Amino acid sequence: MPEVETRPLDTARKLAEDGDLDGAAAIFADLAADTEEPDRAQAAVGLAVVLQERGDVAGARAAARTALATGHPEFAAQAACLLAQSFEREELLDQARAAWQAALGLGNPGYVPLAHMALARLATEQREAEEALRAALATADPQIASHAAQRLAELLLGEGEPGGAAEALLEALSVPDVEEVPRLRVLLGIAHLELACAEFTGAVEEGGDAETSALAIELLARTLPLRGRDEDAEHVWRYGLDSPDEDLAEEVRLRLNRGI
């Protein structure tokens, strides 16, 4: 039975695994230089990885660009990610962003979520970051969607948009097998606390009968400390106690004393 000839690509991989980076690089380089070679894109990625391990950053980037130029749905996407990560390590952020955009343009669903998260991380404006996080969340990747929703929720809470934060977290919780469910639920609870505070505040500002207004003041004053806003809670109590409406002030006094 005739022996099956080992493909040069497999030989190069074996050499790289055995630590012969020079030997592997030589074979990968020959394959990557051949425009008719069917494994050219894969070889160029292998060359980029080997050269990176050897410390040849410029050579690794050149090899990655060769793979990227092939447009191969898998290996060009890998090359774009390698390029982006290389640029990030040297804080060449504009180049890194361009490389992640290239990864997105290839449309490989295995790399799209990662690219969106990277673009969110490298965003220069908050709106840009939010858009990238929403795109990452929309991929419904169990890990990426969770991380994107958490970061997006934190940004929106910081902007005073608890409703938007809640929507993002609920979207993530609807993703099958989404990761870090407890953390998502905690953030959702925080968003609901902020929403509750907004509703209680609205009830106080709009005014109503003494009992309803006193209830709103109490609920707001007792909820604010859960968000670390003790001083604001004291102001709310004082607002009720100092009300010119004697019935309201008395209702608030009774509710405050009930909690002592």
Side-chain angles (χ1 to χ4, degrees):
M1 185 174 179
E3 293 185 5
V4 178
E5 184 177 353
T6 303
R7 291 192 311 158
L9 189 66
D10 294 331
T11 300
R13 284 177 181 158
K14 185 65 168 59
L15 289 172
E17 291 170 359
D18 292 342
D20 184 357
L21 300 183
D22 290 340
I27 297 173
F28 280 139
D30 285 343
L31 295 173
D34 184 355
T35 58
E36 302 300 319
E37 169 59 49
D39 291 325
R40 187 186 186 209
Q42 190 172 0
V45 169
L47 178 60
V49 171
V50 167
L51 292 179
Q52 185 68 49
E53 290 184 19
R54 286 171 52 183
D56 182 358
V57 175
R61 288 176 182 164
R65 288 190 179 96
T66 296
L68 180 57
T70 67
H72 190 284
E74 173 63 27
F75 299 111
Q78 284 189 22
C81 293
L82 288 172
L83 267 177
Q85 291 163 353
S86 173
F87 288 133
E88 282 196 57
R89 280 192 291 271
E90 293 189 18
E91 297 187 1
L92 299 171
L93 303 187
D94 288 341
Q95 292 94 319
R97 279 189 287 270
W100 285 120
Q101 287 287 1
L104 275 183
L106 291 162
N108 186 319
Y111 299 92
V112 165
L114 184 66
H116 281 308
M117 283 300 290
L119 288 170
R121 183 177 65 250
L122 298 174
T124 56
E125 298 179 357
Q126 185 140 317
R127 174 173 288 186
E128 182 185 351
E130 289 179 8
E131 289 176 354
L133 289 170
R134 291 185 194 281
L137 175 55
T139 66
D141 178 276
Q143 181 184 59
I144 297 297
S146 177
H147 293 167
Q150 290 177 48
R151 186 171 170 203
L152 180 57
E154 289 165 354
L155 286 177
L156 292 173
L157 285 169
E159 292 178 354
E161 297 183 28
E167 289 178 5
L169 293 162
L170 287 169
E171 182 178 347
L173 286 166
S174 72
V175 172
D177 302 318
V178 70
E179 295 187 0
E180 298 186 41
V181 169
R183 176 63 179 167
L184 292 171
R185 293 200 182 282
V186 167
L187 285 171
L188 181 58
I190 290 172
H192 284 161
L193 284 175
E194 291 291 343
L195 286 168
C197 287
E199 294 299 330
F200 298 148
T201 299
V204 172
E205 291 174 346
E206 290 173 7
D209 60 84
E211 183 178 357
T212 300
S213 294
L215 175 60
I217 287 170
E218 179 186 17
L219 291 173
L220 179 57
R222 296 197 188 284
T223 303
L224 286 169
L226 297 177
R227 297 292 294 126
R229 297 168 62 185
D230 292 6
E231 187 173 342
D232 289 342
E234 291 179 11
H235 288 317
V236 172
W237 282 123
R238 180 51 51 195
Y239 172 85
L241 293 171
D242 293 342
S243 172
D245 184 332
E246 294 183 2
D247 291 337
L248 174 58
E250 181 59 25
E251 282 281 349
V252 172
R253 187 174 297 106
L254 289 172
R255 290 175 180 280
L256 175 59
N257 292 336
R258 182 176 61 188
I260 296 177

